[in-house]
Every structure is written in structure tokens, then in C-alpha cells.
Amino acid sequence: MRADLSTCIGNIYLPSPLYNASGVWCTDYTQLDIVLNNIATGAVVTKSCTLKPREGNPNPRYFDKINKLDALSASINSMGLPNKGIDYYLEVAAHIENPKHKPFFLSVCGLSVEENLQILQNVVSYEHSNRYINGIELNLSCPNIIGKPQLGYDFPALTETLRKIFEINALDKYTVGIKLPPYFEEVHWGQATDVIEPYAKSSHINFLTCCNSIGNGLVIDYENESTVIKPKYGHGGIGGDYIKPIALANVRQFYNTLGNKLDIIGCGGVKSGRDAFEHILAGASAVQVGTSIQLHGPDQFKLIFMELEDIMTKKGYVSLNSFKGKLKYL
Ligand code: DHB
């Protein structure tokens, strides 16, 4: 029997657990269409959007194939939120060809609480938008805006932001989640859980995406004795192989504390079926792929899907639920 790789985020059905991480292959209609209609994806999420279109930070602002001679591959970015603005993504969602009816997630990343509220107002007042926007990923963890710290690390500000956002009653019509930064400390997992839990209990927050890139890393071009990206003196968000153990820890921690109230989406270091398997074993209901798609293109989804299917068949798992969150402890 073939393994069943379908899954759910909240009450949204996905035919496959794989889709893009926000920021990768999702800035314009063509890219979103390619991901959404890829045979191996279960959904698509847009580039994190602001109220108005943005050019983003100066180039070069993305670099990958770090340490060509190393076994590890990774990326660094300081894009600075180049995006086409919320109204563009609302139009794309309304008009994109979606014959398989896969879920369309909107990623939202206003530069202030007020901007987030305005973006969400635009979403809920756009005619029938809940028909073609199935989920909203509130990005509270962008590390690349000069002068703006990541909201997910400021617990009082996070509390206040969530309080204001969930005063918008019409958000109930959407499956809403938040994209968190990576946490590294027991106390921070505890504090984040305390802030999120009331909204998980009341079903306002339906999923957590764990996690965004490791903010403000530095990659050095050894030959040229230089930084590899221009913004922020070379600092940027780190993705790829380097982040996988950190992402897995975040998936597992939030699955343990909140996994009975919401879904966890794993994001970080997935380039193979085995990586996706490990994220699901740690508690992920779905898995986003970033650096690997940026490096190799969307064909990589099929490879990861087939490897995951193969692993499940070999291990005798018939569905994702038969091993999700079942990581053993020594
Ligand atoms: C950008 C980077 C992020 O990690 C994110 O969550 C949002 C935006 C960027 O630089 O564009």
C-alpha cells in the first residue's frame, strides 16, 4: 500500500505536507503559480507582505552555497522585505489557477503594529477573500529591517501585538498562525508559550511556524576577506543545513507544550525526505522548504516527497499521523 502523505493545518486539508518557506519562490504571480501547481506541494505561502510595495535592501542581499568545500550548504539573506504589497497578493489569490484547490497562505509582515492591523483590515474587507485565502501566517520574526528588532524576541510587545490583532473579529474566518524566530533557551520557550497559549485555547492561533532564519549571522568570503551581502554590514538571516537542529528543537518544544491545541509547521534545513521525516517526528504537521528550493528550484519538492514516501514505506508508516510527534527519548 502507498503511504498517505496528506495532512491538515487547523482544518485546512493539504494533499502533501511540503510547501515553500515564505520568501522563497513566492514574490510574484508566476512564482506562486509554479509552487502551488507543483505536483509535490500541498500549499503555497506568499512573500511576507507590507501595506505598500517595497524594493527591499540594496544588492547583493542573498548568498548561498556557503563554504563550497564544506559538507554543509546554507544561505544568508538580508532582503529587507521586497514585496508587491498586500493588494497585489489579494489579487493573485483571487485569480490564480488552482485546479487542485490547494490552500493559499498569505504571509503578513507589517513594519509596525498599526501597519499589521491595516494589512489585516485590507484582507478581511477584500470581497470574499476567505474563499481563496485559506491561511494567514503572521510573520513576527523578520530579522532584516534596519532599526527594527524581531518582535518574537520582545515578549511584552508580542503580547500587545497579538491582543490588538485578535480584536479583529473577522480573522476568525481564516486559519491563522504565527511565524516565530528560533528560540534557544528553556525560559524563552516558556515565555513564548505563555503568550501564545490563550490564543491557542480560544482557537485564534491555529498554527505556529517554527522557525524563521537565525537572525544576524555573518558569512565571510575567505578569499576576498569580505562580507558576502551588503546590508547591515553583512549580517543576515541564516538558513539551510546550519539551522536544522535548531528548527527541530523549536518544533519539538512547541509541539510538546501546545501541540494539542494547534499545528506546528516545521521550517529549517529541509533538503531531503529524511529532513522532512525528522521534522514530522519532532511534531510538525507540515514542512516548509526554503534554502533548498532557492538553490535547486521547485523540482526539489518532488525529490523530497518521493524520499519521504520511500522512508515511510520502508518503516511501515501508512500516514504522517502514525509517526508525527513520536520522537523517542533516551
Ligand atoms: C525577510 C526576511 C525574513 O526572514 C522574514 O521573515 C521576512 C522578510 C526579508 O529580508 O525580506
Side-chain angles (χ1 to χ4, degrees), residues 123-143:
V123 175
V124 299
S125 30
Y126 189 83
E127 210 186 353
H128 305 306
S129 72
N130 62 318
R131 281 200 208 144
Y132 30 78
I133 289 168
N134 312 91
I136 300 175
E137 185 177 82
L138 298 165
N139 182 353
L140 305 179
S141 51
C142 173

Side-chain angles (χ1 to χ4, degrees), residues 47-48 77-82 109 139 141-144 179 212-213:
K47 170 69 184 168
S48 293
N77 86 83
S78 182
M79 306 299 288
L81 275 170
C109 190
N139 182 353
S141 51
C142 173
N144 297 336
K179 184 157 181 181
N212 210 318
S213 54

Side-chain angles (χ1 to χ4, degrees), residues 86-94 106 122-123 126 129 132-133:
I86 179 59
D87 295 344
Y88 175 87
Y89 297 106
L90 289 170
E91 288 286 307
V92 172
L106 188 70
N122 283 22
V123 175
Y126 189 83
S129 72
Y132 30 78
I133 289 168

Side-chain angles (χ1 to χ4, degrees), residues 268-322:
V270 175
K271 66 176 183 196
S272 68
R274 177 181 154 171
D275 299 325
F277 182 87
E278 290 177 12
H279 268 272
I280 296 163
L281 195 65
S285 301
V287 176
Q288 298 178 346
V289 191
T291 297
S292 167
I293 298 301
Q294 190 67 41
L295 263 168
H296 305 293
D299 285 351
Q300 192 73 4
F301 283 121
K302 190 162 175 216
L303 202 125
I304 299 169
F305 185 97
M306 284 176 10
E307 283 178 1
L308 177 58
E309 192 177 44
D310 199 41
I311 290 168
M312 288 172 63
T313 305
K314 286 201 178 109
K315 285 178 175 271
Y317 291 126
V318 293
S319 68
L320 301 184
N321 276 333
S322 38

